[in-house]
mmCIF file of all heavy atoms in Angstrom:
data_model
loop_
_atom_site.group_PDB
_atom_site.id
_atom_site.type_symbol
_atom_site.label_atom_id
_atom_site.label_comp_id
_atom_site.label_asym_id
_atom_site.label_seq_id
_atom_site.Cartn_x
_atom_site.Cartn_y
_atom_site.Cartn_z
ATOM 1 N N ASN A 392 31.562 0.960 -8.166
ATOM 2 C CA ASN A 392 32.571 1.787 -7.461
ATOM 3 C C ASN A 392 32.011 3.159 -7.152
ATOM 4 O O ASN A 392 32.359 4.192 -7.752
ATOM 5 C CB ASN A 392 33.776 1.947 -8.338
ATOM 6 C CG ASN A 392 34.983 2.405 -7.483
ATOM 7 O OD1 ASN A 392 34.878 2.594 -6.291
ATOM 8 N ND2 ASN A 392 36.076 2.589 -8.178
ATOM 9 N N LEU A 393 30.969 3.153 -6.287
ATOM 10 C CA LEU A 393 30.184 4.331 -6.000
ATOM 11 C C LEU A 393 31.031 5.423 -5.344
ATOM 12 O O LEU A 393 31.840 5.112 -4.420
ATOM 13 C CB LEU A 393 29.037 3.991 -5.071
ATOM 14 C CG LEU A 393 27.980 5.062 -4.822
ATOM 15 C CD1 LEU A 393 27.338 5.519 -6.102
ATOM 16 C CD2 LEU A 393 26.923 4.473 -3.881
ATOM 17 N N GLY A 394 30.939 6.676 -5.767
ATOM 18 C CA GLY A 394 31.743 7.747 -5.251
ATOM 19 C C GLY A 394 30.963 8.840 -4.448
ATOM 20 O O GLY A 394 31.556 9.497 -3.629
ATOM 21 N N ILE A 395 29.672 8.994 -4.745
ATOM 22 C CA ILE A 395 28.871 9.971 -4.031
ATOM 23 C C ILE A 395 27.436 9.594 -4.171
ATOM 24 O O ILE A 395 27.032 9.031 -5.198
ATOM 25 C CB ILE A 395 29.182 11.374 -4.536
ATOM 26 C CG1 ILE A 395 28.632 12.478 -3.578
ATOM 27 C CG2 ILE A 395 28.535 11.620 -5.931
ATOM 28 C CD1 ILE A 395 29.150 13.873 -3.936
ATOM 29 N N ILE A 396 26.617 9.948 -3.180
ATOM 30 C CA ILE A 396 25.143 9.868 -3.341
ATOM 31 C C ILE A 396 24.601 11.283 -3.056
ATOM 32 O O ILE A 396 24.987 11.919 -2.125
ATOM 33 C CB ILE A 396 24.551 8.864 -2.356
ATOM 34 C CG1 ILE A 396 25.169 7.508 -2.423
ATOM 35 C CG2 ILE A 396 22.978 8.688 -2.620
ATOM 36 C CD1 ILE A 396 24.630 6.472 -1.440
ATOM 37 N N ILE A 397 23.635 11.672 -3.888
ATOM 38 C CA ILE A 397 22.982 12.964 -3.744
ATOM 39 C C ILE A 397 21.552 12.707 -3.686
ATOM 40 O O ILE A 397 20.980 11.964 -4.448
ATOM 41 C CB ILE A 397 23.364 13.899 -4.926
ATOM 42 C CG1 ILE A 397 24.829 14.261 -4.798
ATOM 43 C CG2 ILE A 397 22.454 15.147 -4.935
ATOM 44 C CD1 ILE A 397 25.404 14.814 -6.060
ATOM 45 N N ILE A 398 20.865 13.328 -2.653
ATOM 46 C CA ILE A 398 19.378 13.289 -2.647
ATOM 47 C C ILE A 398 18.901 14.712 -2.755
ATOM 48 O O ILE A 398 19.120 15.548 -1.976
ATOM 49 C CB ILE A 398 18.905 12.660 -1.301
ATOM 50 C CG1 ILE A 398 19.489 11.272 -1.115
ATOM 51 C CG2 ILE A 398 17.363 12.593 -1.299
ATOM 52 C CD1 ILE A 398 19.001 10.564 0.104
ATOM 53 N N ASP A 399 18.174 14.953 -3.896
ATOM 54 C CA ASP A 399 17.610 16.223 -4.157
ATOM 55 C C ASP A 399 16.223 16.266 -3.581
ATOM 56 O O ASP A 399 15.503 15.265 -3.637
ATOM 57 C CB ASP A 399 17.621 16.548 -5.649
ATOM 58 C CG ASP A 399 17.342 18.033 -5.862
ATOM 59 O OD1 ASP A 399 17.688 18.875 -5.021
ATOM 60 O OD2 ASP A 399 16.746 18.346 -6.930
ATOM 61 N N GLU A 400 15.813 17.432 -3.087
ATOM 62 C CA GLU A 400 14.454 17.573 -2.463
ATOM 63 C C GLU A 400 14.315 16.561 -1.353
ATOM 64 O O GLU A 400 13.311 15.800 -1.282
ATOM 65 C CB GLU A 400 13.327 17.390 -3.508
ATOM 66 C CG GLU A 400 13.521 18.141 -4.790
ATOM 67 C CD GLU A 400 13.250 19.668 -4.611
ATOM 68 O OE1 GLU A 400 13.105 20.183 -3.472
ATOM 69 O OE2 GLU A 400 13.330 20.359 -5.692
ATOM 70 N N GLU A 401 15.285 16.573 -0.479
ATOM 71 C CA GLU A 401 15.380 15.608 0.663
ATOM 72 C C GLU A 401 14.087 15.494 1.466
ATOM 73 O O GLU A 401 13.790 14.430 2.057
ATOM 74 C CB GLU A 401 16.519 16.108 1.500
ATOM 75 C CG GLU A 401 16.819 15.517 2.820
ATOM 76 C CD GLU A 401 16.147 16.021 4.002
ATOM 77 O OE1 GLU A 401 15.858 17.242 4.162
ATOM 78 O OE2 GLU A 401 15.903 15.235 4.872
ATOM 79 N N HIS A 402 13.277 16.499 1.505
ATOM 80 C CA HIS A 402 12.081 16.565 2.342
ATOM 81 C C HIS A 402 10.894 15.816 1.759
ATOM 82 O O HIS A 402 9.857 15.633 2.398
ATOM 83 C CB HIS A 402 11.622 18.024 2.509
ATOM 84 C CG HIS A 402 11.309 18.657 1.225
ATOM 85 N ND1 HIS A 402 12.327 19.135 0.402
ATOM 86 C CD2 HIS A 402 10.178 18.798 0.515
ATOM 87 C CE1 HIS A 402 11.745 19.623 -0.712
ATOM 88 N NE2 HIS A 402 10.476 19.428 -0.631
ATOM 89 N N GLU A 403 11.006 15.363 0.466
ATOM 90 C CA GLU A 403 9.823 14.751 -0.140
ATOM 91 C C GLU A 403 9.413 13.423 0.465
ATOM 92 O O GLU A 403 10.238 12.584 0.831
ATOM 93 C CB GLU A 403 10.140 14.460 -1.646
ATOM 94 C CG GLU A 403 10.076 15.759 -2.477
ATOM 95 C CD GLU A 403 8.656 16.250 -2.594
ATOM 96 O OE1 GLU A 403 7.747 15.457 -2.492
ATOM 97 O OE2 GLU A 403 8.520 17.459 -2.783
#
Side-chain angles (χ1 to χ4, degrees):
N392 197 1
L393 187 60
I395 195 169
I396 308 179
I397 290 163
I398 303 185
D399 192 27
E400 313 285 7
E401 172 273 325
H402 59 279
E403 282 292 333

